[in-house]
Amino acid sequence: MILQSVKMAYTAILSNKLRSFLTMLGIIIGVTSLVVLVSLVGGASDSVTEGISESGKTLITVSILKDKGKPLTWEDVSELEKKESISAAAPAGNTGSTARGRGKSVDIQITGTTPGYFEIQNLKTAYGRTLKRADLDNSTYSVVLNNRAAKELLGTDDAAGEEVVIGGKTYRVAGVLEKSKVSGWNAEQMEAYIPYSTLMRSADDIRYVNNFYLTADSQEEMKNAETEVTDFLKTRFGNDEKAFQVMNESQILELMESTQRTLMLMLGGIAGIALLVGGIGIMNIMLVSVTERTREIGIRKAIGADYAGIMTQFLIEALALSLLGCLIGILLSWGIIQTVNWFLPQYHFRMVKEVILAATAFSAVIGVAFGIYPADKAAKKKPIDALRFS
Amino acid sequence: MIQLKGVSRIYQMGEEQFYALRKVDLHIRKGEFVSIVGPSGSGKSTMMNIIGCLDCADEGQYLLDGQPIENYSEKELARVRNRKIGFIFQNFNLLPKLSAAENVALPLIYQRLGTAKQKERVAWALEQVSLKDRMGHRPSQLSGGQQQRVAIARALASRPALFLADEPTGALDSRTGREIMDIFHMLHEKGNTIVIITHDEGVADQAERKIRIRDGRLSEVKI
């Protein structure tokens, strides 16, 4: 019986292709927007969180908002490493400049920092060494390049000992970092790391430390590390808690995740409304179809179809319309996501399985919910009245 | 086979009550070929609807194949129509989007017969009306006479207790009409019970018994 109804639905849908397609369009648009939007949001925030969690769950970020006449120096930050719960601490001062090596000039991102930074950010050298305490004490012109910068400037990543000119000063390349495994949004930049003291000397606007990073000894020590750095800063800035901000990795992750959730819910809600509108379209056409096929219903009833028989036939037709629309929508989403991936290869968007399941389930519910009324109307027709209809 | 005892069908027309059938008694035995003849508005269609279980009587008793048809639910009436009655209509009432074979299979689908059995029955029924070679044709690809033969095959396929025909030759030319009547004679010879409702005396005279209906009352007529 069900199989027969599916066959009948198939015939009915194919016998009026344009109308069936237009009916499904609402569902197609709804499903496509749902799957594409949720997959894109999911993919984008995945690549950001991937980048964050790579550097560990023990990271604490500190920003100085007001120095109250007692600014921090890089030596102060390094002193923090002596605390028991803190394994590394490093300032980060950022500036941009032009670098030249072997005749080639590129724009480069410069980070002035201390040796602890490489441990905190989990940066490892492929060739040479990272920065040393002596580099800071003597404000040497030593630089650690990331893999891309070394290749662009010097043509090889085996560039330790070579020279590059950054901002008019000649630096000796102390080391080159390993190629980044993260293929997210920050993988393609060119970066150079120099001693904080050297940066202070060459950049006019950087004199003290405004941002620095810490890693706790372990995840369990996070709370202690946070308390210790907060206490230290409070003492320094006369108990003014608004003078600085201490943020940890999990807070940033939580913030990201809640933003992502809200965004997905919002987009999902909009797509859900589109699906609902699609359902109304199905109901509309099913009602027209029931009236048009009054005679058919009469014949079927005269020949022996009962309420359930006609009900099943029309309900399955509505369900088939919405599920077919859903399938087309999913295929279309797949196409769109592949196209986006082709244009933006650094992201790797993929369809989220849960969304596909949710979209299918939602379409099925809509097909049944909006199919019930027309199907009931059809099944309740009296055979004599229906046969007289022409 | 068919027994009507004091059957009335009453329509409410504003204040007045209109008797489409007035205390009708009728007895049709198994294997009989009966025609019910009358002008339009005589209660013919109401008669057909009640015998065919498309409608229920307001008064009286109706026994079909020994079963009283009263207080039946929609579902039970559908079942009776499906298994006991083979309808043949004036305008064939085939489904235009289905092939001849699919049309014939329709009552069998509602009987939930297995696919193999269905195929066998459909082939047999179309064979009876000599249309086996037109199985895959749509109604629009068939002539009127052929369409009516498909409709007869559809009635035949469910092996009903009663063939109920409503002006079966009404939409056909006289030669094709004769062909259709020949099929009814053939069915009758094989022992089937047939009731034909018509206004055409020529058709009515071909039956074993002729019953006239006028103003909702029946009278037996000698042929």
Side-chain angles (χ1 to χ4, degrees):
Chain A
M1 190 74 205
I2 297 285
L3 195 77
Q4 290 291 345
S5 301
V6 171
K7 225 178 112 191
M8 285 186 233
Y10 174 78
T11 319
I13 289 170
L14 280 190
S15 72
N16 210 333
K17 291 190 192 70
L18 181 64
R19 184 204 273 187
S20 302
F21 175 72
L22 290 175
T23 310
M24 286 186 291
L25 204 56
I27 299 284
I28 295 174
I29 292 172
V31 167
T32 308
S33 49
L34 182 71
V35 175
V36 168
L37 291 176
V38 170
S39 297
L40 290 190
V41 170
S45 49
D46 274 357
S47 70
V48 174
T49 35
E50 224 171 77
I52 290 178
S53 34
E54 180 92 347
S55 44
K57 292 191 170 93
T58 52
L59 184 74
I60 297 172
T61 310
V62 182
S63 309
I64 311 296
L65 306 173
K66 291 179 271 182
D67 65 19
K68 306 214 128 200
K70 290 186 198 166
L72 287 179
T73 63
W74 65 266
E75 288 97 339
D76 293 330
V77 175
S78 294
E79 281 297 297
L80 283 170
E81 287 185 347
K82 294 195 175 120
K83 308 248 184 214
E84 207 174 301
S85 59
I86 296 168
S87 71
N94 293 306
T95 180
S97 188
T98 312
R100 189 157 45 78
R102 294 204 184 146
K104 204 173 174 193
S105 281
V106 293
D107 286 326
I108 199 162
Q109 184 75 33
I110 298 164
T111 305
T113 188
T114 58
Y117 188 82
F118 299 91
E119 184 190 334
I120 293 167
Q121 300 289 4
N122 200 23
L123 301 171
K124 297 204 175 63
T125 48
Y127 297 98
R129 58 170 178 87
T130 59
L131 297 176
K132 285 190 171 148
R133 176 72 191 216
D135 292 321
L136 279 116
D137 288 337
N138 303 321
S139 305
T140 59
Y141 288 100
S142 303
V143 63
V144 174
L145 296 174
N146 75 344
N147 211 278
R148 167 112 196 269
K151 280 190 180 146
E152 290 277 333
L153 283 167
L154 301 163
T156 170
D157 47 1
D158 188 5
E162 307 239 10
E163 286 182 344
V164 288
V165 177
I166 302 174
K169 292 271 194 295
T170 304
Y171 285 73
R172 183 163 296 278
V173 178
V176 176
L177 296 179
E178 283 176 359
K179 207 174 161 95
S180 169
K181 284 185 200 77
V182 188
S183 49
W185 52 286
N186 54 358
E188 302 288 319
Q189 281 169 329
M190 278 181 270
E191 279 159 26
Y193 304 90
I194 60 172
Y196 203 85
S197 51
T198 314
L199 177 73
M200 274 165 43
R201 197 196 288 163
S202 44
D204 302 332
D205 54 336
I206 297 169
R207 319 189 68 174
Y208 303 105
V209 174
N210 288 323
N211 290 298
F212 64 94
Y213 299 101
L214 304 169
T215 37
D217 229 18
S218 63
Q219 238 178 305
E220 292 73 41
E221 289 283 356
M222 274 296 273
K223 268 258 148 1
N224 289 337
E226 233 176 291
T227 328
E228 275 190 292
V229 71
T230 309
D231 286 348
F232 165 77
L233 292 168
K234 265 177 132 174
T235 324
R236 178 101 179 198
F237 297 128
N239 268 337
D240 185 353
E241 289 194 30
K242 284 190 183 141
F244 59 90
Q245 196 175 35
V246 178
M247 287 257 277
N248 68 40
E249 187 81 333
S250 58
Q251 278 172 321
I252 296 170
L253 270 177
E254 266 169 43
L255 194 71
M256 284 279 313
E257 267 162 27
S258 82
T259 318
Q260 183 191 352
R261 255 200 310 279
T262 320
L263 205 59
M264 276 193 179
L265 274 178
M266 245 172 60
L267 293 173
I270 293 169
I273 291 169
L275 270 177
L276 217 59
V277 174
I280 295 169
I282 286 181
M283 177 148 97
N284 193 8
I285 286 300
M286 288 305 293
L287 282 172
V288 172
S289 172
V290 165
T291 309
E292 273 183 1
R293 286 151 71 187
T294 300
R295 195 171 181 80
E296 176 191 333
I297 296 164
I299 295 169
R300 285 178 184 277
K301 283 205 134 180
I303 278 165
D306 55 6
Y307 178 89
I310 302 289
M311 182 85 181
T312 324
Q313 183 191 341
F314 280 86
L315 205 53
I316 286 187
E317 200 175 314
L319 194 63
L321 273 175
S322 67
L323 284 181
L324 198 59
C326 177
L327 182 70
I328 295 174
I330 289 172
L331 292 178
L332 196 63
S333 315
W334 183 82
I336 291 173
I337 289 170
Q338 292 306 312
T339 313
V340 171
N341 274 340
W342 193 74
F343 279 110
L344 299 168
Q346 67 268 38
Y347 297 83
H348 21 81
F349 294 115
R350 60 198 169 74
M351 297 229 265
V352 185
K353 198 169 67 194
E354 287 80 359
V355 181
I356 292 175
L357 290 178
T360 310
F362 201 39
S363 302
V365 168
I366 276 182
V368 171
F370 287 98
I372 276 184
Y373 175 65
D376 175 73
K377 218 180 140 181
K380 270 196 186 142
K381 280 189 192 291
K382 286 215 159 60
I384 22 174
D385 299 336
L387 274 176
R388 217 175 282 147
F389 185 90
S390 55
Chain B
M1 169 60 66
I2 289 177
Q3 207 158 8
L4 292 140
K5 286 180 195 162
V7 167
S8 296
R9 181 75 176 97
I10 307 154
Y11 293 106
Q12 199 73 38
M13 292 192 134
E15 296 280 290
E16 267 175 82
Q17 285 192 329
F18 170 74
Y19 278 76
L21 288 178
R22 197 185 292 269
K23 298 211 182 314
V24 165
D25 293 304
L26 176 65
H27 188 81
I28 296 171
R29 278 174 297 276
K30 196 167 160 64
E32 275 192 310
F33 186 175
V34 179
S35 63
I36 297 174
V37 64
S40 57
S42 58
K44 235 174 12 173
S45 300
T46 312
M47 192 72 193
M48 140 117 185
N49 289 342
I50 286 180
I51 294 177
C53 296
L54 290 163
D55 199 3
C56 276
D58 294 310
E59 286 170 11
Q61 204 189 20
Y62 173 32
L63 289 164
L64 174 66
D65 216 4
Q67 279 178 30
I69 311 292
E70 52 192 321
N71 305 324
Y72 264 23
S73 69
E74 270 283 325
K75 195 183 167 78
E76 287 162 324
L77 283 175
R79 202 182 139 81
V80 170
R81 288 197 295 268
N82 187 207
R83 298 189 179 240
K84 298 224 180 263
I85 295 168
F87 283 101
I88 295 123
F89 299 95
Q90 177 174 4
N91 43 13
F92 327 130
N93 276 348
L94 299 172
L95 295 186
K97 279 168 191 162
L98 301 185
S99 69
E102 287 169 324
N103 264 296
V104 174
L106 215 53
L108 306 178
I109 290 170
Y110 291 115
Q111 282 181 11
R112 285 153 209 234
L113 210 64
T115 323
K117 263 254 163 87
Q118 269 185 35
K119 276 205 175 130
E120 194 184 304
R121 281 276 194 99
V122 169
W124 171 80
L126 283 167
E127 178 101 72
Q128 298 295 302
V129 297
S130 354
L131 272 180
K132 220 181 159 188
D133 54 332
R134 301 285 157 88
M135 278 182 96
H137 289 225
R138 298 256 181 114
S140 55
Q141 297 166 317
L142 298 171
S143 70
Q146 286 171 328
Q147 287 187 54
Q148 192 60 300
R149 272 147 67 192
V150 173
I152 294 173
R154 180 176 66 186
L156 206 53
S158 60
R159 300 224 177 107
L162 169 71
F163 286 86
L164 187 57
D166 180 17
E167 301 277 13
T169 58
L172 304 171
D173 60 63
S174 56
R175 200 174 61 85
T176 322
R178 271 199 299 281
E179 281 173 25
I180 295 298
M181 286 311 291
D182 287 344
I183 296 176
F184 281 113
H185 286 301
M186 185 264 289
L187 290 174
H188 176 225
E189 272 159 31
K190 289 187 176 167
N192 290 296
T193 316
I194 297 165
V195 174
I196 290 185
I197 291 166
T198 182
H199 70 277
D200 184 338
E201 298 287 344
V203 168
D205 287 343
Q206 295 184 35
E208 282 182 319
R209 277 171 75 195
K210 183 168 155 187
I211 291 160
R212 190 168 296 286
I213 182 166
R214 184 164 286 160
D215 301 329
R217 289 177 210 272
L218 296 185
S219 55
E220 190 94 24
V221 185
K222 287 266 177 305
I223 300 172

